[in-house]
Amino acid sequence: MGAKDSGSPTAGRDVEARVDGEAERGVPPRPTAGSELSKPDSGRWVEELSTEGRVRDDAVARLHALLLRAARFEVKRRRGSLPHLRGDELEDIAHQSADDAVVAVLGKLGDFRGESLFTTWAYKFALLETAVNLRRRAWQGRETPLEPESWPHFDDPHASPEADAERSELMAAIGDAVATALTPHQRHVLVSVALNDVPIDVLADRLGTTRGALYKTIHDARRKLRTKLAESGLEVAAAGEGARP
Amino acid sequence: MLEPGELGRLLGPGGNELLCESCFEELDRYVELGLGDADADAQIPGMREHLEGCPACREDYESLRAFVLSEGRKAR
Ligand SMILES: [Zn+2]
């Protein structure tokens, strides 16, 4: 995930005002057909960001302007989840996220393989930093619930008695699998993220780990549950599985 | 109460899936392939499954796709 060190390599708002027009050069002409057309631009980005002096400073300033636009876009998309934040607080988050993203992009420049436009590659760092920062803010001071209040079960008033019985059996088996097949850590992480909607980044912060490590825990827990259910003779097809051979 | 959708959220996508680090690495390419004519799912196996199983990466994907689309629209 992105670098967490703050400290903008650029001068923030002033820079953005000065280079905004320039930054338009980094925009792909069209997301579909633009790829081939703009590959040389991607090379130029990397070249200019890798050099020194005035050329690099200008490129960094243009990069910051691009990433700030991405960050503001993300803030706009998510502002419904943060109704208590004022406009200037949201703008601060956008700036902080753009600063972090510039640091992350410069740090990972060597990883850019040119398989997408440089701008698309760079945007993802800004969108990630912004999303993570906003999720953190939304959960600031909130407890992350540990367990579902009571073990949930299907309750469909329209289901036939047979379907009801099948579901009850399935739910009992799942409840049993969750209780017996998982470690307490697996249970906690899986229930928090999958059932209680705790953002995985927020939980990772609180447990002192990363999104990737926590997802691996979830992945392993799900596999254990599926194995356990299969052992009980219950096959559970998951959403989207049918489309694949 | 466990809503029907929650069973899927609990048990996840099943099958082989990428994990978050690889998902982030491939995200830009996956989005561009998806916006083009290519079969993004065939070219990056396990991505779609991960996006089904991981709400945070799913949101990152949706944001990147939406932003690239909106930038493309502006530049036209
Ligand atoms: Zn993920």
Side-chain angles (χ1 to χ4, degrees), chain A residues 1 27-32 35 66 69-70 73-74 77-78 113 115-117 120-121 123-125 127-128 131 135 151-155 170-171 174 178 190-191 193-197 200-201 210-213 215-216 219 222 225-226 229 236 238-241 243-244, chain B residues 1-21 23-29 31-32 35-37 41-42 44-46 48-50 52-57 59-60 62-76:
Chain A
M1 299 296 116
V27 174
R30 293 182 69 136
T32 49
S35 234
L66 274 184
R69 201 159 63 219
F73 176 86
E74 184 68 7
R77 265 169 77 86
R78 293 174 166 274
R113 292 165 301 181
E115 291 181 338
S116 68
L117 295 183
T120 308
W121 179 76
Y123 291 151
K124 71 179 177 180
F125 291 92
L127 296 169
L128 172 78
R135 285 189 201 111
W151 183 251
H153 60 276
F154 280 124
D155 186 25
L170 178 61
M171 291 319 298
I174 291 174
V178 169
L190 179 65
V191 168
V193 174
L195 292 188
N196 291 336
D197 293 326
I200 195 168
D201 303 309
T210 62
R211 179 194 294 193
Y215 192 82
K216 181 73 169 65
H219 178 80
R222 283 168 166 167
L225 289 183
R226 283 176 176 276
L229 290 175
V236 186
E241 239 182 356
R244 262 174 199 267
Chain B
M1 294 295 149
L2 192 68
E3 304 291 325
E6 286 183 325
L7 182 61
R9 280 157 59 193
L10 194 66
L11 293 178
N16 288 325
E17 63 171 313
L18 296 180
L19 296 180
C20 298
E21 289 86 354
C23 170
F24 187 72
E25 250 169 55
E26 299 283 9
L27 197 60
D28 43 316
R29 188 161 77 97
V31 163
E32 286 191 0
L35 291 174
D37 297 328
D41 292 324
I44 308 180
R48 189 177 55 108
E49 287 80 357
H50 183 68
E52 275 166 22
C54 181
C57 287
E59 286 177 19
D60 293 343
E62 283 168 0
S63 291
L64 184 58
R65 191 174 193 280
F67 186 62
V68 168
L69 270 175
S70 85
E71 289 295 281
R73 216 170 280 136
K74 260 191 267 169
R76 233 170 264 170

Side-chain angles (χ1 to χ4, degrees), chain A residues 10 15 18-19 22-23 25 45 48-49 51-65:
Chain A
T10 69
V15 170
R18 186 162 48 80
V19 299
E22 288 268 306
R25 277 197 318 191
W45 270 109
E48 291 182 1
L49 289 170
T51 179
E52 279 171 25
R54 179 79 203 274
V55 172
R56 180 178 190 271
D57 294 347
D58 283 354
V60 170
R62 277 185 282 125
L63 177 66
H64 187 270

Side-chain angles (χ1 to χ4, degrees), chain A residues 28-212:
Chain A
R30 293 182 69 136
T32 49
S35 234
E36 288 313 310
L37 201 62
S38 302
K39 284 271 161 71
D41 280 351
S42 291
R44 195 165 69 212
W45 270 109
V46 175
E47 207 179 289
E48 291 182 1
L49 289 170
S50 309
T51 179
E52 279 171 25
R54 179 79 203 274
V55 172
R56 180 178 190 271
D57 294 347
D58 283 354
V60 170
R62 277 185 282 125
L63 177 66
H64 187 270
L66 274 184
L67 299 189
L68 181 58
R69 201 159 63 219
R72 284 176 171 150
F73 176 86
E74 184 68 7
V75 163
K76 211 166 148 193
R77 265 169 77 86
R78 293 174 166 274
R79 70 170 306 161
S81 67
L82 292 152
H84 60 287
L85 285 194
R86 296 191 316 265
D88 59 333
E89 289 176 296
L90 291 168
E91 180 65 6
D92 280 350
I93 292 176
H95 274 269
Q96 183 62 52
S97 305
D99 294 350
D100 291 347
V102 167
V103 174
V105 164
L106 293 176
K108 304 241 172 185
L109 207 52
D111 295 348
F112 176 65
R113 292 165 301 181
E115 291 181 338
S116 68
L117 295 183
F118 176 80
T119 46
T120 308
W121 179 76
Y123 291 151
K124 71 179 177 180
F125 291 92
L127 296 169
L128 172 78
E129 295 287 350
T130 312
V132 170
N133 283 333
L134 289 172
R135 285 189 201 111
R136 275 196 194 120
R137 280 304 284 267
W139 279 76
Q140 216 168 45
R142 264 173 87 182
E143 298 265 328
T144 51
L146 279 180
E147 298 281 343
E149 300 194 345
S150 61
W151 183 251
H153 60 276
F154 280 124
D155 186 25
D156 180 354
H158 305 296
S160 67
E162 296 78 32
D164 240 11
E166 263 173 45
R167 282 175 170 179
S168 301
E169 192 197 348
L170 178 61
M171 291 319 298
I174 291 174
D176 180 59
V178 169
T180 59
L182 305 185
T183 67
H185 178 64
Q186 284 175 328
R187 194 157 51 231
H188 170 44
V189 173
L190 179 65
V191 168
S192 296
V193 174
L195 292 188
N196 291 336
D197 293 326
V198 179
I200 195 168
D201 303 309
V202 170
L203 190 62
D205 281 351
R206 294 187 186 181
L207 298 178
T209 179
T210 62
R211 179 194 294 193

